[in-house]
Amino acid sequence: MSLVGEWRALQAGLPNGWVQASLQLEVRDPEALARVAALLGPAAPYRSAPTILRFDTARNGTAQGPDAITRLLRRVDDARVAATLGVLGSERAAARSEREVASLVESWDAALGALPRDWSDLFAEVRLLSSDYLERAAVLCVQTNPRRVGNEAAFRFRSARRAGYGVAPEMARRCFERCDAEAIRGSVQVLRALSDTQLVATQGPVWILDGRTI
């Protein structure tokens, strides 16, 4: 079997989600080792024994990728150098942090659950895991009248439980359901809240944040 064929077979045996693998190439003719090392130059091979070269491959950009390794091994095949390829070990991607909220709906429900039962008005922030979500999330949450937070991947909105200025909590939850349906991830935090407010010739309470009325 060619080295390219060996590499394809070895790749098939690597664990799902692998990101890095250490390879070993054993060259039968010691005098051909320097030539093979030159052919594999971009992979930065190093000699670990008189007839053995070791090098890495990675999917995350830290080393030559699998396709690049295939091209380099094809050079060795074309040079008709007898050698055997093996995998010394591999690594998977680190598990993603569980800081992510499972869904915006769950985060919203948890935020409301921490408030007093008689809450009437609140000011909340939706912090997204990626700025790529911002534009679409703003569309899906248009009923909340979202306000951008500078250049951050976040927006803020007001909610009113009974009457006054702000989206109804039920409507806000529906907006977050739409985001969840499109795998838009993040978390919701209540920044300020008031309980049992009474509207007197006004649409609701006024907060001053960073010198601005909200």
Side-chain angles (χ1 to χ4, degrees):
M1 182 183 292
S2 67
L3 290 174
V4 169
E6 289 183 19
W7 173 225
R8 287 172 177 163
L10 291 170
Q11 282 189 79
L14 290 173
N16 293 332
W18 73 273
V19 295
Q20 186 273 340
S22 297
L23 307 179
Q24 173 177 288
L25 187 67
E26 184 172 0
V27 181
R28 295 179 188 175
D29 182 2
E31 295 183 359
L33 197 70
R35 183 185 179 194
V36 173
L39 294 172
L40 296 175
Y46 65 93
R47 185 170 65 179
S48 65
T51 60
I52 293 178
L53 292 172
R54 291 183 178 178
F55 51 97
D56 293 335
T57 181
R59 288 171 160 172
N60 59 5
T62 59
Q64 293 290 311
D67 292 341
I69 294 299
T70 298
R71 291 191 293 270
L72 295 176
L73 291 174
R74 185 170 287 115
R75 293 181 183 178
V76 181
D77 283 335
D78 292 343
R80 298 186 180 279
V81 177
T84 302
L85 184 67
V87 174
L88 298 176
S90 63
E91 296 179 3
R92 292 186 179 185
R96 296 189 67 175
S97 171
E98 292 302 320
R99 68 179 177 84
E100 300 177 16
V101 177
S103 73
L104 285 171
V105 165
E106 290 179 0
S107 184
W108 176 238
D109 288 345
L112 294 186
L115 295 177
R117 291 185 179 181
D118 63 347
W119 78 269
S120 56
D121 304 87
L122 64 79
F123 184 53
E125 179 177 279
V126 178
R127 187 158 292 273
L128 303 170
L129 293 182
S130 171
S131 59
D132 293 340
Y133 296 151
L134 267 173
E135 184 174 346
R136 184 57 180 164
V139 172
L140 296 174
C141 296
V142 64
Q143 287 86 354
T144 68
N145 190 24
R147 299 182 181 183
R148 285 285 305 274
V149 183
N151 294 322
E152 300 180 41
F155 65 84
R156 293 171 177 174
F157 68 96
R158 288 186 57 164
S159 178
R161 185 169 63 89
R162 296 180 304 183
Y165 180 75
V167 65
E170 296 81 8
M171 186 67 248
R173 192 178 197 278
R174 177 58 185 145
C175 292
F176 296 141
E177 286 177 345
R178 298 173 191 158
C179 291
D180 289 341
E182 296 193 19
I184 294 174
R185 294 291 179 257
S187 60
V188 186
Q189 178 184 5
V190 174
L191 302 179
R192 299 190 180 189
L194 294 173
S195 295
D196 197 25
T197 56
Q198 302 297 319
L199 306 184
V200 179
T202 180
Q203 290 185 325
V206 173
W207 287 291
I208 304 298
L209 183 65
D210 298 328
R212 299 179 62 184
T213 300
I214 57 172

